[in-house]
Amino acid sequence: MKVFKVKDIQYHQEGLSRLVGFSIDKPAVNQCFDWPLIEIGGWVVGKDRPITEVEFTLQVLNLPLQVAPINLQREDVERLLPQVKNSKNSGFYNYFSAIGLPPEFKILVNAIDCDREVIPMADITIESKGDLKIKTDDLSFFQPILVSALPRSGTTWLIQLLIAHPAIIGYPHYPYELRAAGYWWHACRVLTMPSGLTGLSHPDLFWFDLQRISGNPSFSIFHGDIIDWFKDTYINRVLLHYKLVIDKFYKYLAKTYNKSNAIFFIEKQSVPYYSWLAWELYSKTREIFLVRDWRDVFCSILAFNSKRDTMRFGRELVDNDIAFAHRLIQGISNIHQQFIMRSNCVLLVRYEDLVLNTSNELKRILDYIGVDSDSSTIKMVMEQTHLRDPFLEQRRIGRSAHESIGRWKHDLSPEFQEKINFVFKDYLQLFGYS
Amino acid sequence: MSRCILAKNIQLYDQSAQLIGCGIDIPAADQSFDWPLITIAGWVIGKDEPIREVEVALLAENEVLQILPVNIPRPDVASFLPHVPQSEKSGFYGYLSAIGLPKQFEIVISAIDFNKTVIPLANVVFESDPEDYRYRDFVRLQPIMLNALARSGTTWLARLLIAHPEVVGYPVYPYEMRAASYWLHACRVLTTPSNRVGIAHPDLFWFDLQHISSPPFYSAFNEDLLKWFNDTYVNLIALEYKFTIQSFYDYIAKKLKKKKVTYFVEKQTVPNRSWLIYDLYSKPREIFLVRDWRDVFCSIIAFNNKRGVVTFGREGMESDAAFAYRLGADIANLRREYHTRADRALLVRYEELLLNPEHELKRILDYIGVDATLSTIRAMLRQANKPDPLLQQHRTSRSERESIGRWKRDLSPELQEVVNAVFREHLEAFGYA
């Protein structure tokens, strides 16, 4: 059985300039929780502006995972701060679900004031041990292959190659980016989250949005008498249901596209952090980290944007190309971090090796996946992939795959090359590029 | 034969003051669609402000069902209006799901500009074939939905029904757990085709860990997958949520040591959402609980005073008289919903339930189709009448009998005149003189 242990809590003293005071009463260091719920509770009082809620944010993605309204009575705090107006109802308490989180993760506990200003209170580091029961109950017919990569790293081509294999099904249309399982896994995360008791997870408010839903309002700290059903039955139901939906979906694709021998489905994963859930849910998950000389990735993105006359892939968020290179580093750093955390079970593939030595590299990939990798299959896969896809042609920026290797030397001025070499230097070395 | 939805009538608005032009290509009058999807397509160009999106709302409830971005290339419009820059991408195209909508319903299609100005383009009346049986049953537990305004006696009725051996509900005051209602709502949201906007976009759904929208690939951009979504996915979701609801209420029943439950009961605050239970279940029951609206009005005000908080819509009003008008709108809504389902729902008057409980409970239990013997009814009343301190807090009059006609004592003659005038038509409609 999986359990979570609180490894460390770091308090942010700088928040005290905007707070009268705060405390995290729960969890304590070394406190353990059974999968999947972790409790956070305490109190907080704002100095100039009232605090309306506390947000539990997943540090690595900087996304709020859960909220807890500030409205619980704290007579002890009122006694401690008798002159302070908001001290009586300054308490907060809620659970969050750790489904799909890695073996170690950090939660930022932030106070949110009435102007939506974020005031850091504490960082909580939590580690997990043990396996999830649901993986052993794996009733899925199809197992996932996830391709984690930055855009313009060759994922489209790799997926095109792999879905030509008889044992692998994927959405067979350009740009091969149907994230059906990705969406349903995400639904698993959202729908198994206990209620934040605000907005659409409030029992009186969920009705009023026909476009979005949040966690079930009845799955909350106010209904301790039924929490066991949610923990033991509901969460398992949700996870198993969406695995079934994914299975049915890929069965339909396999039937539609005459792939009766398919046993794996493949999807691109643009947020590699989310792969943890697939590793939790499936017994034979496969994950490929596809990397490419980051300087070529950088050039390919700029060229793709120029060709389409658009600004995408994050270039639209910064003022100039060098700032974009620095922005790209964040994505590369995430890829690296995730790769290191799962390096014992994932496969690293270099785009350049795939281009220059396709059959060898394909054999290595298929052996990792655990499907037929004999030379006739590889030949057939390569032949099928070489049947030109007009959409893929549109996507291609270099004249040929070979020419796309080292393109940064042609595309960039010597001065810019120097700058880019400096920016990417560490991450090039980490992935074996000189 | 598959279920069809027919566009019966289309009424277009003249918006030439605000628009360069617009066209509704689909639906056309008399066009029919295979259930559950209705196609909405056309083009629209704003005069002073560009149009950002097209909104499809249920006319009666003013409830937004779908939002479609205006960004589809329309070369035909561009050649027709060559000097208008927005004409090239003036198209909209997408689907609306009819799951959970009434047999006959009217939508309003409106353009929304960048200032959020709403410009109605057309009203369309649809009529669908009788309810589908595809999603029906496979589950044992059937729903009883209680529709009422706040302070109409739903807490008492829910408490009574939960005391029946064949009915289960969350047994804790104020009996307002809406677990099934949430899952039924989830069923609607998750089976709505994607508009590919915000977290319904295939690249953006990841970035919200607290909300989820419809599947991004259930959209007009993935026509090759539509059949699977319509035939398989919608069924999978509907069945899963029905089983989840059953599993939840079986758990509650087990805790309550109730071994032969066949119904679960929940209060429903948005009565038009009940349509979904008629799509999903074979024996849904729906009770509309009404009360002299003047007493409802007094009870709300007394309850607010007792708790020292202002809720139930009174908080948004400047005076009690203004609140009466607001309540009048809610009553009209409840009344409309009752009339659309009067053939299958049961009307219960609070006063009759209090004054003649055995008779009224028999009528209710007969309607539900569960044991309605006198011994069972008396056991229910004994159980419901057991002292409950929380229920005591809920009360705002000394006794149930005193709660009937309280408006004559609680209100000033002036306010009596106001509520009599505001509620007159609704009082008559529900049999109150």
Side-chain angles (χ1 to χ4, degrees):
Chain A
M1 189 61 188
K2 197 165 180 168
V3 290
F4 299 99
K5 186 178 175 188
V6 177
K7 209 174 148 187
D8 183 43
I9 302 180
Q10 293 290 327
Y11 292 92
H12 287 279
Q13 298 303 319
E14 71 268 25
L16 288 173
S17 62
R18 287 182 281 170
L19 300 174
V20 175
F22 73 89
S23 168
I24 308 286
D25 304 333
K26 211 173 192 182
V29 174
N30 292 328
Q31 190 169 359
C32 290
F33 298 92
D34 285 341
W35 183 88
L37 299 187
I38 295 169
E39 297 162 60
I40 300 182
W43 62 271
V44 57
V45 181
K47 204 168 253 178
D48 302 319
R49 284 183 291 238
I51 304 299
T52 54
E53 60 192 33
V54 166
E55 229 171 47
F56 311 156
T57 294
L58 192 56
Q59 183 248 350
V60 68
L61 297 178
N62 196 26
L63 288 176
L65 197 58
Q66 178 63 293
V67 291
I70 303 291
N71 56 15
L72 299 184
Q73 281 202 10
R74 288 293 300 245
E75 284 167 10
D76 55 335
V77 180
E78 192 185 16
R79 279 196 299 276
L80 181 75
L81 302 167
Q83 312 297 326
V84 180
K85 197 174 105 189
N86 297 317
S87 60
K88 188 179 177 186
N89 293 317
S90 60
F92 65 88
Y93 175 68
N94 210 347
Y95 319 110
F96 72 90
S97 160
I99 287 174
L101 298 185
E104 184 167 316
F105 57 92
K106 198 177 263 187
I107 297 293
L108 313 179
V109 184
N110 296 322
I112 310 294
D113 73 17
C114 56
D115 292 330
R116 303 298 302 165
E117 285 288 319
V118 176
I119 305 163
M121 292 162 64
D123 300 350
I124 304 177
T125 307
I126 296 165
E127 60 181 0
S128 66
K129 288 209 167 76
D131 257 341
L132 189 58
K133 197 178 71 181
I134 199 158
K135 196 154 75 176
T136 57
D137 300 339
D138 190 358
L139 304 172
S140 307
F141 181 81
F142 292 104
Q143 296 286 318
I145 304 168
L146 303 173
V147 178
S148 294
L150 288 195
R152 310 300 305 162
S153 295
T155 45
T156 301
W157 188 48
L158 175 60
I159 289 193
Q160 205 191 19
L161 277 167
L162 290 178
I163 61 176
H165 191 284
I168 300 169
I169 181 76
Y171 189 56
H173 300 299
Y174 172 84
Y176 310 99
E177 283 185 0
L178 192 83
R179 296 188 186 96
Y183 164 81
W184 284 309
W185 289 329
H186 196 65
C188 284
R189 281 181 207 100
V190 173
L191 298 174
T192 55
M193 188 60 72
S195 165
L197 301 163
T198 57
L200 294 182
S201 67
H202 189 280
D204 293 338
L205 302 176
F206 68 86
W207 315 87
F208 299 110
D209 193 332
L210 282 164
Q211 323 281 321
R212 298 178 307 155
I213 51 164
S214 191
N216 192 318
S218 312
F219 183 13
S220 88
I221 54 163
F222 291 107
H223 297 292
D225 56 334
I226 52 172
I227 200 82
D228 283 349
W229 181 83
F230 278 99
K231 274 170 71 176
D232 301 339
T233 305
Y234 178 62
I235 286 177
N236 276 302
R237 277 200 83 98
V238 172
L239 300 180
L240 287 172
H241 167 67
Y242 282 107
K243 283 178 75 176
L244 174 75
V245 170
I246 291 166
D247 239 31
K248 293 259 185 198
F249 177 77
Y250 277 106
K251 242 173 217 168
Y252 172 78
L253 279 195
K255 195 177 168 196
T256 307
Y257 296 103
N258 298 319
K259 296 202 72 170
S260 53
N261 295 324
I263 50 169
F264 280 94
F265 67 85
I266 187 164
E267 288 194 9
K268 287 186 192 178
Q269 177 86 318
S270 40
V271 186
Y273 189 83
Y274 285 140
S275 297
W276 288 107
L277 184 60
W279 286 99
E280 257 184 0
L281 296 183
Y282 294 86
S283 54
K284 290 180 191 158
T285 301
R286 301 287 184 263
E287 189 175 13
I288 297 167
F289 278 77
L290 180 64
V291 296
R292 181 182 179 187
D293 185 320
W294 308 115
R295 296 162 296 192
D296 287 344
V297 170
F298 172 80
C299 290
S300 183
I301 289 175
L302 296 186
F304 187 83
N305 282 345
S306 294
K307 186 176 177 181
R308 291 229 194 159
D309 199 20
T310 57
M311 286 284 225
R312 287 183 56 199
F313 305 116
R315 175 61 185 86
E316 71 281 14
L317 302 172
V318 288
D319 291 338
N320 55 51
D321 289 346
I322 197 70
F324 176 58
H326 283 283
R327 194 189 145 80
L328 210 54
I329 283 291
Q330 292 166 24
I332 299 167
S333 162
N334 284 339
I335 292 264
H336 179 253
Q337 194 186 21
Q338 293 302 309
F339 170 68
I340 294 296
M341 286 178 86
R342 297 194 287 280
S343 58
N344 61 333
C345 51
V346 302
L347 186 74
L348 183 71
V349 174
R350 285 183 197 83
Y351 169 78
E352 294 78 5
D353 294 340
L354 193 63
V355 169
L356 297 174
N357 200 349
T358 310
S359 55
N360 272 4
E361 204 56 14
L362 255 182
K363 177 159 175 38
R364 198 171 70 91
I365 294 169
L366 298 177
D367 284 344
Y368 162 73
I369 295 171
V371 292
D372 179 15
S373 64
D374 68 32
S375 55
S376 61
T377 302
I378 288 177
K379 195 174 165 214
M380 183 273 292
V381 162
M382 288 172 65
E383 276 168 6
Q384 275 212 14
T385 310
H386 283 133
L387 293 172
R388 289 280 169 88
D389 178 341
F391 286 106
L392 201 62
E393 278 306 300
Q394 266 182 27
R395 188 179 169 95
R396 211 162 263 162
I397 305 302
R399 275 184 293 270
S400 71
H402 280 74
E403 278 176 316
S404 71
I405 297 173
R407 63 180 299 162
W408 63 278
K409 292 177 192 157
H410 318 295
D411 288 11
L412 304 178
S413 66
E415 298 75 36
F416 211 87
Q417 284 185 27
E418 207 172 306
K419 286 179 186 168
I420 289 301
N421 271 324
F422 179 75
V423 173
F424 292 130
K425 189 177 161 199
D426 290 347
Y427 286 101
L428 285 165
Q429 282 171 1
L430 284 170
F431 284 104
Y433 296 95
S434 53
Chain B
M1 201 180 77
S2 67
R3 186 177 177 183
C4 279
I5 309 158
L6 179 71
K8 277 181 75 181
N9 182 33
I10 298 186
Q11 183 202 337
L12 299 170
Y13 291 96
D14 176 10
Q15 296 292 7
S16 49
Q18 294 182 81
L19 300 176
I20 289 176
C22 73
I24 304 291
D25 304 328
I26 309 175
D30 296 325
Q31 188 169 4
S32 73
F33 301 90
D34 283 341
W35 205 82
L37 296 192
I38 297 165
T39 308
I40 307 285
W43 62 275
V44 58
I45 303 172
K47 200 168 254 179
D48 301 320
E49 279 291 324
I51 302 298
R52 183 186 173 131
E53 59 203 18
V54 161
E55 187 183 87
V56 183
L58 263 185
L59 182 71
E61 288 79 10
N62 194 25
E63 190 172 73
V64 178
L65 298 173
Q66 185 60 289
I67 296 165
L68 302 173
V70 176
N71 59 9
I72 308 273
R74 286 294 298 249
D76 55 333
V77 179
S79 63
F80 172 61
L81 297 166
H83 303 298
V84 179
Q86 305 102 294
S87 62
E88 276 183 16
K89 289 191 168 182
S90 59
F92 56 88
Y93 188 98
Y95 303 114
L96 181 69
S97 170
I99 291 174
L101 296 184
K103 190 170 169 288
Q104 181 160 329
F105 59 94
E106 186 166 5
I107 58 166
V108 54
I109 304 173
S110 305
I112 313 288
D113 70 17
F114 278 82
N115 291 328
K116 298 254 173 208
T117 309
V118 179
I119 308 161
L121 305 177
N123 283 12
V124 190
V125 177
F126 290 96
E127 193 172 87
S128 65
D129 290 344
E131 283 94 29
D132 202 297
Y133 287 85
R134 280 183 298 172
Y135 312 127
R136 281 205 178 163
D137 280 335
F138 306 105
V139 291
R140 175 179 31 82
L141 276 186
Q142 298 285 315
I144 306 168
M145 292 297 179
L146 294 186
N147 290 312
L149 292 196
R151 308 298 304 168
S152 293
T154 44
T155 299
W156 177 239
L157 180 55
R159 192 173 156 89
L160 277 168
L161 288 176
I162 289 167
H164 191 283
E166 291 173 66
V167 180
V168 63
Y170 185 61
V172 182
Y173 171 85
Y175 312 100
E176 283 184 1
M177 179 167 284
R178 297 188 183 97
S181 302
Y182 163 83
W183 284 308
L184 292 170
H185 182 68
C187 207
R188 280 190 74 174
V189 174
L190 297 172
T191 58
T192 296
S194 165
N195 57 6
R196 296 169 63 99
V197 171
I199 58 167
H201 189 280
D203 294 337
L204 300 177
F205 66 84
W206 316 93
F207 299 111
D208 190 333
L209 286 164
Q210 295 175 304
H211 302 97
I212 190 141
S213 189
S214 42
F217 313 101
Y218 186 18
S219 86
F221 291 89
N222 295 93
E223 294 273 356
D224 57 331
L225 304 177
L226 270 185
K227 186 174 160 40
W228 182 82
F229 275 102
N230 288 342
D231 296 346
T232 307
Y233 175 70
V234 170
N235 273 299
L236 278 173
I237 294 288
L239 283 174
E240 172 56 21
Y241 282 113
K242 283 170 69 175
F243 278 110
T244 298
I245 291 167
Q246 179 163 289
S247 168
F248 176 77
Y249 277 111
D250 275 345
Y251 172 82
I252 301 279
K254 198 174 167 194
K255 278 177 88 106
L256 297 173
K257 298 189 172 61
K258 293 181 105 170
K259 288 183 181 157
K260 47 178 186 176
V261 292
T262 51
Y263 280 92
F264 65 88
V265 63
E266 284 195 11
K267 290 185 189 178
Q268 169 108 311
T269 38
V270 187
N272 76 315
R273 298 299 169 83
S274 290
W275 284 106
L276 184 59
I277 62 171
Y278 294 101
D279 273 335
L280 298 185
Y281 292 94
S282 60
K283 293 177 194 162
R285 299 291 182 258
E286 196 176 10
I287 296 170
F288 282 79
L289 180 64
V290 298
R291 180 182 180 185
D292 185 319
W293 307 115
R294 296 162 296 194
D295 288 343
V296 170
F297 173 83
C298 292
S299 183
I300 289 175
I301 289 173
F303 190 73
N304 282 345
N305 287 338
K306 186 175 178 180
R307 291 213 297 191
V309 289
V310 184
T311 57
F312 301 119
R314 173 63 184 87
E315 66 279 17
M317 299 290 127
E318 282 182 7
S319 65
D320 287 346
F323 175 57
Y325 282 96
R326 194 202 130 92
L327 203 59
D330 292 343
I331 299 165
N333 187 26
L334 190 75
R335 195 177 142 193
R336 190 188 59 237
E337 288 299 321
Y338 171 66
H339 282 297
T340 60
R341 299 193 288 283
D343 59 330
R344 59 190 97 183
L346 184 75
L347 185 71
V348 174
R349 285 183 196 83
Y350 168 80
E351 294 79 4
E352 287 165 19
L353 189 64
L354 287 194
L355 298 174
N356 202 351
E358 288 181 2
H359 177 269
E360 203 56 15
L361 268 178
K362 176 156 175 41
R363 200 172 68 90
I364 293 169
L365 299 179
D366 281 344
Y367 161 74
I368 295 171
V370 291
D371 176 21
T373 53
L374 191 58
S375 59
T376 299
I377 289 171
R378 286 189 174 157
M380 287 169 74
L381 284 163
R382 272 197 305 277
Q383 174 71 25
N385 276 311
K386 279 184 180 168
D388 181 339
L390 291 172
L391 198 64
Q392 207 50 45
Q393 279 178 21
H394 188 75
R395 286 197 179 124
T396 54
S397 46
R398 270 175 303 190
S399 71
E400 283 94 352
R401 282 178 186 268
E402 276 188 38
S403 72
I404 298 172
R406 63 183 299 169
W407 64 277
K408 293 176 193 160
R409 299 183 298 275
D410 287 10
L411 301 181
S412 65
E414 295 75 29
L415 209 47
Q416 283 189 27
E417 209 169 302
V418 170
V419 295
N420 270 322
V422 174
F423 299 141
R424 176 174 297 127
E425 199 191 321
H426 301 308
L427 288 164
E428 283 168 8
F430 286 107
Y432 296 95

